[in-house]
């Protein structure tokens, strides 16, 4: 008759443990303080760098911006009623602008301002100085970095803005 089954003992084989320092409450406290100290220091550094380098679009007063909304809508309606045609050609170092009224006559008696706004950092904005070449034709020259820009053209007469155009352009 076969021998009855006897299970093996449930203990694991003994592994030699090295003697070491015991983990005390003081050590755990120091590890936690060090860990969160590093996290705090890195967060502080990253927030400081982000705040000092941010030059993006900001609104100084959102209340005032909200008040000007109605004025801008009325100005846009008045601009649409003029039916002016404004063409601009931009390339590195040069901007050519031609403007005509609803009957196709060149615009006269208006002042043109042209600005290239950087889309993410207003510190790189470039104000151009357009020079009148002939009736309804202007040219501005300036060295501008390649990349995406917002070209803002404004025509005014006697200090009153009559026309505003904002277009995204890419300079290569």
């Amino acid at each position: 008759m076969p021998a009855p089954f006897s299970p093996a003992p449930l203990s694991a084989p003994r592994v030699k443990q090295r003697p070491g320092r015991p983990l005390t409450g003081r050590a755990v406290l120091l590890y936690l303080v060090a860990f969160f100290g590093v996290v705090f220091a890195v967060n502080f550094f990253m927030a400081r760098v982000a705040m000092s380098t941010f030059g993006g679009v900001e609104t100084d007063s959102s209340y005032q911006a909200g008040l000007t909304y109605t004025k801008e809508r009325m100005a846009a309606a008045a601009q649409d009623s003029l039916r002016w045609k404004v063409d601009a050609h931009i390339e590195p170092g040069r901007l050519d602008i031609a403007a005509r009224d609803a009957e196709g006559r060149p615009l006269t008696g208006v002042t043109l301002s042209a600005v290239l706004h950087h889309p993410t950092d207003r510190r790189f904005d470039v104000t151009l100085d357009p020079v009148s070449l002939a009736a309804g034709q202007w040219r501005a020259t300036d060295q501008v970095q390649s990349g995406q820009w917002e070209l803002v053209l404004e025509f005014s007469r006697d200090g009153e803005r009559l026309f505003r155009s904002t277009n995204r352009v890419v300079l290569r």
Side-chain angles (χ1 to χ4, degrees), residues 88-97 116 128 139-147 149 151 169-172:
H89 176 74
I90 190 165
E91 56 189 47
R94 185 167 125 184
L95 170 65
D96 292 320
I97 301 131
L116 285 169
L128 302 171
R139 176 173 290 158
T141 57
D142 200 339
Q143 293 302 320
V144 179
Q145 296 176 352
S146 61
W149 296 88
L151 174 62
V169 296
V170 178
L171 294 176
R172 299 185 193 269

Side-chain angles (χ1 to χ4, degrees), residues 24-43:
T24 64
R26 178 179 286 174
V28 171
L29 177 65
L30 287 175
Y31 294 150
L32 282 173
V33 168
F35 172 77
F36 285 108
V38 169
V39 169
F40 178 75
V42 169
N43 282 342

Side-chain angles (χ1 to χ4, degrees), residues 104-128:
R105 295 183 302 240
L107 291 182
T108 58
V110 293
T111 304
L112 170 65
S113 69
V115 179
L116 285 169
H117 288 293
H118 194 274
T120 59
D121 194 341
R122 294 291 184 220
R123 294 177 293 182
F124 296 130
D125 289 359
V126 177
T127 301
L128 302 171

